[in-house]
């Protein structure tokens, strides 16, 4: 079953999403997935949609919202902040635990790219049942403050990203969340997945996250896959890796 859903976040803004629920049973483990920078709940060429439908066939519910300022949710992209993203994640997690399709003790947090960075940062706060990081984009933090200041020194306070207005204030807010120290404190099971042809997130970043979760982390690579796992074979391997990880949870 697929449902269109809404929630009102702590700032009074409406977030709009999609829930995929298995056809038979109740109180399913539920995966909350966080999209990447300039992305949306469907993912690159509907990748998140495909994954959610695949997991639903195997007994897992999926929750996918557009973050504030993105997709169909309230707000403008230029008003998005990383702090706001973390708050949205917490609000979505809490909303999911209250839904009759979800097992409130088995809410899994997942994210890709910036969504992976945000999910890792949010995990110590929301303590999910498990954590899935797909090519976590921690690299966007490095130099973020300097890039914003360099633009502002020229009188520029926003950038045009293919029609989206990106405010330098985002980077100033982002700067307070050093990715690896911010992720410290989560002690549950973790899956990290990266494509070997990813030119945005390097292997060292994933290994550094892996070190944080020593003993409870599985790091898998998908040969030839790019940042968006943009091939039929890469998506199939990614989905099967996620399912294997989820089915092994106790």
């Amino acid at each position: 079953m697929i449902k269109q859903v809404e929630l009102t976040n702590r700032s009074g803004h409406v977030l709009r999403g999609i829930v995929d629920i298995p056809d038979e049973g109740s109180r399913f483990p539920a995966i909350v997935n966080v999209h990447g920078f300039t992305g949306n709940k469907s993912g690159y060429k509907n990748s998140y949609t495909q994954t959610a439908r695949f997991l639903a066939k195997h007994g897992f519910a999926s929750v996918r919202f557009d973050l504030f300022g993105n997709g169909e949710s309230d707000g403008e992209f230029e008003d998005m902040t990383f702090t706001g993203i973390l708050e949205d994640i917490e609000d979505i997690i809490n909303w999911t635990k209250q839904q009759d399709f979800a097992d409130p003790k088995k809410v899994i947090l997942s994210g890709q790219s910036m969504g992976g960075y945000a999910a890792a940062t949010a995990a110590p706060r929301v303590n999910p049942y498990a954590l899935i990081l797909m090519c976590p984009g921690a690299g966007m933090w490095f130099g973020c403050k300097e890039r914003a200041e360099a633009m502002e020194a020229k009188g520029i306070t926003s950038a045009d990203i293919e029609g989206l207005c990106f405010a330098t204030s985002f980077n100033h807010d982002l700067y307070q969340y050093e990715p690896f120290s911010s992720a410290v404190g989560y002690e549950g099971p973790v899956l990290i997945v990266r494509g070997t042809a990813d030119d945005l997130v390097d292997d060292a970043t994933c290994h550094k996250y892996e070190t944080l979760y020593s003993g409870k982390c599985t790091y898998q690579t998908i040969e030839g896959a790019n940042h968006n796992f943009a091939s039929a074979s890469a998506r199939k391997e990614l989905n099967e890796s996620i399912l294997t990880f989820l089915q092994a949870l106790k």
Side-chain angles (χ1 to χ4, degrees), residues 6 45 62 78 84 98 101 107 114 127 134 148 180 227 230 234 237 245:
E6 295 184 352
K45 297 188 184 300
S62 292
E78 63 194 277
Q98 297 169 9
F101 64 80
V107 176
M114 181 194 73
N127 194 30
M134 297 172 282
F180 305 111
H227 187 65
E237 189 170 346
F245 171 74

Side-chain angles (χ1 to χ4, degrees), residues 22 24 51 66 68 82 91-93 96 102 131 148 183 230 232 246:
E24 297 182 1
T51 298
D66 290 330
F68 171 73
F82 199 75
D91 291 346
I92 294 166
I93 291 279
T96 300
L131 180 64
L246 293 175

Side-chain angles (χ1 to χ4, degrees), residues 6-100:
E6 295 184 352
L7 71 84
T8 301
N9 70 10
R10 67 188 65 188
S11 299
H13 301 120
V14 176
L15 306 183
R16 297 175 176 87
I18 296 287
V19 173
D20 291 77
I21 306 169
D23 291 331
E24 297 182 1
S26 61
R27 294 294 181 184
F28 305 100
I31 299 93
V32 171
N33 189 59
V34 185
H35 65 73
F37 186 69
T38 74
N40 60 59
K41 61 184 176 292
S42 296
Y44 182 77
K45 297 188 184 300
N46 298 322
S47 59
Y48 304 153
T49 301
Q50 291 180 357
T51 298
R53 292 177 180 178
F54 172 79
L55 293 176
K57 292 178 181 178
H58 293 276
F60 296 90
S62 292
V63 176
R64 299 173 285 127
F65 276 89
D66 290 330
L67 299 169
F68 171 73
N70 291 262
E72 299 298 328
S73 290
D74 283 0
E76 300 298 330
F77 189 79
E78 63 194 277
D79 298 322
M80 177 182 67
T81 65
F82 199 75
T83 296
I85 290 170
L86 299 178
E87 292 174 350
D88 279 352
I89 291 172
E90 187 171 359
D91 291 346
I92 294 166
I93 291 279
N94 289 336
W95 176 88
T96 300
K97 289 179 177 180
Q98 297 169 9
Q99 304 308 303
D100 58 11

